[in-house]
Amino acid sequence: MPTALDFSTCDREQIQYAGAIQPHGALLVLHEPALRIVQASANTGDYLGLPPAALLGQGIERLLGDEATAALRARLASLDLCGMLLHLMSVGTTARNERFHLFGNRADGLLLLEFERLDEPARTGAPDLYQEVHSTLQRLQAAPSLQEFLQLAVAEIRALTGFDRVMAYRFAADGSGEVIAESVAANRETYLGLHYPAADIPEPARRLFALSWLRHLPDVDYVPIPLVSAPTAQPADPVDLSYSFLRSVSVMYTGYLKNMGVKATLVTTLLKDGRLWGLISCHHAAPRYLPYETRVAVECLAHMVSLLMGAKETEEHYAYRLRLGAARGQLLDALLKTEACDRALLDAGPELLTAPHADGAALLSEDRLRLWGHTPTEAEVRALADWLATRQDPHFVSHQLALDYPPAERFRAVASGLLAVRLSPAAPDGLLWFRRELLQTLHWAGDPHKPVTIDDHDDEVRLLPRTSFALWKETVGGQAHPWLDCEIEHANELRQGILEFIIGHTEQLRRKNTELVQSNLELDTFAYAASHDLKEPLRGIHSIVQFLQDDDGDRLSDDGRQRLATILRLTHRMDDLIESLLQYSRVGRIELDLQLVDLNAVLLQTLEDLQPLLKKNAVQVRVQEALPRLQCDHVRVAEVLSNLISNAVKYNDKADRQVTIGCDATLDPPVIFVRDNGIGIAPKQFGRIFQIFRRLHGRDAYGGGAGAGLTITRKAIERHGGSIWVESVPGEGSTFRFTLARPR
Ligand code: ADP
């Protein structure tokens, strides 16, 4: 019965100890220094002219003759050969009139010699490999991007080898791979863009790929040739064939290739910084042997591609870094040109904010949230920012957000990736970049989660690799493209720049504020002095006009008396204005006498003082809630209440005038209000009523007034750190609300 099994079982297969070779060459294992043959591939009779029986236990001169053996000894003396297989020389044999390439490798104290025929059918139409490789390199160097570079490389290798499919295959961090470039014969389907699960290239094969540059399998259906040793000898230890060209390959591998309809392969390694980066894999639908010379050319190209590829990739990264740097520079420049940091960021084009290849971005600043592109909802972003604010780190990076922050599961489609920086140690203010889930379904060549089966008929356990090569779709759930180091760096540097700006800006604001306080004080002193000094001559004018009216009024014409009366009225008005100005400047200059005050007592006293006015107008006063006890200057607060209540009575034309006073103590600081059912104020006038000497009505309408009451009221409130605002519906009434402390 077939048993489910993960393909990685063959991770344990020791393929370097294959004990057999492929039939397109012969292999001898020798003891040094005697160069005595201890093992031979079973095909030496056919291939080299002397069967293993004639060679085992003999010196190598039995096969090569004395002259070639001497040359070989001289060559071996100068070479290390550990961890590599080198071309040593070309030789003939005593038994055959043929020439062979001879390769050597030393492993576990043994010398391995491999023979491959020199007269194999030469590659057609390739007179000068050097020229070809040279011109290929020139074209590769000119390729503008890594993608085009690899595309060119596979096309060149296909031209050189004549294989009908050449693919560049790149490994991801999890070991899976993707076909990122391909050159394929016109009649074959394309594998471009296919992903392969990690288990398709098992660990031992990966290790061997990293050890040698080139693997060639001329015929998938070959019959392995075993290595044999002398019948009398002790059973030999398995020979390590890690570096052998001829090593027999795993049945897993040939089975896999057969499933794909591949009869011959050539695989070269792409290394970057000494690490396996990918492969160039050549497939052919019929057996195909590549002579050594062509293989050398391909190997040389693979070396060059590896070197250039590193440079191209670095170049691309560098260009991207530059782009990020430019976006950052533009944002920070915009900051310098503006007063408000969030304004500059808000005004920045979305492309600047999404520069680190993000699908969306968010800016949270002083409780204002702005979103660009694909993001979670406003509430979700706020909750996320609150969570980020509980973390120590000023930055956060994830390409699987729901793992760190489970609520992100709900919005993983738009934000599986998050790169965030905090802009305030105290508030959740920050910049956030989002990346969508890789819902773009990847094209898997075979279901990576579908186990392979073991076919255990005949008691022989054989692994059967997946038989399906149809396109499978695998959703990479909850994952986004990981953030690159340079993107994280970009976010941190942007944060640094913004913080420096904010610190500089705060300092500037603090300085401006001190200057403003100083000049306000000077202005108040000036207003006080000016109004005080104006009072004196005004009083003079008033008395003279008064005398004139009393003493000489009879001698004046009606017009004259009328004019004197106008002068008197104007001096009264001017006196009112100067008095208001004095009061206003006094509120700005005097020290507040701050004490814990029961506002209910202050209100009671104020209502008492206003009794005549309230009575005269039959006002119904209601105190809705008890007022709090607050730290304040009770004289100023009494003036505030008095002013608001008398306005509530004054600007009221209803028959039943009502004034309600109350407080919302659940707020911090508590908000006190004075409400009336009077004439109301149009919303567009809300700002004007707090300006000095501004009235919304004719001079004498609604009992007249200097138009300074609310300005003085506001100043008194602001001196306490509080603020005042109004809500109103014209014709229905107004509510003035105020606080007496700074918001916390
Ligand atoms: P004054 O009452 O001396 O005119 P204020 O500064 O107290 O000056 O008020 C400025 C203006 O705001 C008033 O002239 C009036 O038009 C408007 N105003 C103030 N309080 C009220 C209110 N409760 N209802 C309607 N209008 C008001």
Side-chain angles (χ1 to χ4, degrees), residues 234-269:
Q234 295 274 20
D237 284 338
V239 180
D240 181 356
L241 298 176
S242 293
Y243 295 93
S244 164
F245 283 155
L246 296 173
R247 181 179 55 80
S248 188
V249 297
S250 157
V251 290
M252 294 285 294
Y253 183 45
T254 49
Y256 188 87
L257 293 170
K258 284 176 195 168
N259 285 332
M260 294 168 74
V262 171
K263 292 289 186 199
T265 66
L266 180 80
V267 181
T268 77
T269 314

Side-chain angles (χ1 to χ4, degrees), residues 580 643-652 674-676 678-682 685 688-699 701-713 726 728 733-736:
S580 299
N643 189 270
L644 294 178
I645 295 170
S646 41
N647 275 354
V649 176
K650 248 166 82 178
Y651 299 104
N652 201 326
V674 176
R675 178 177 303 139
D676 61 56
I679 59 170
I681 304 161
Q685 309 284 12
R688 294 182 69 195
I689 57 173
F690 292 102
Q691 290 171 11
I692 196 160
F693 303 140
R694 284 273 188 181
R695 300 198 77 233
L696 303 182
H697 317 283
R699 193 183 300 153
Y702 298 102
L710 284 179
T711 318
I712 295 167
T713 295
V726 63
S728 178
S734 313
T735 306
F736 283 82

Side-chain angles (χ1 to χ4, degrees), residues 591-602 628-638 719-720 740-741:
E591 279 292 315
L592 289 186
D593 175 19
L594 291 179
Q595 286 175 20
L596 195 60
V597 173
D598 181 358
L599 292 186
N600 296 299
V602 179
R629 285 161 69 83
L630 287 179
Q631 195 77 18
C632 61
D633 182 327
H634 74 283
V635 179
R636 301 281 86 84
V637 176
R719 292 238 24 219
H720 282 83
L740 285 171

Side-chain angles (χ1 to χ4, degrees), residues 388-395 422:
L388 288 170
T390 62
R391 299 170 51 89
Q392 291 281 315
D393 252 4
H395 80 251
R422 292 258 303 282

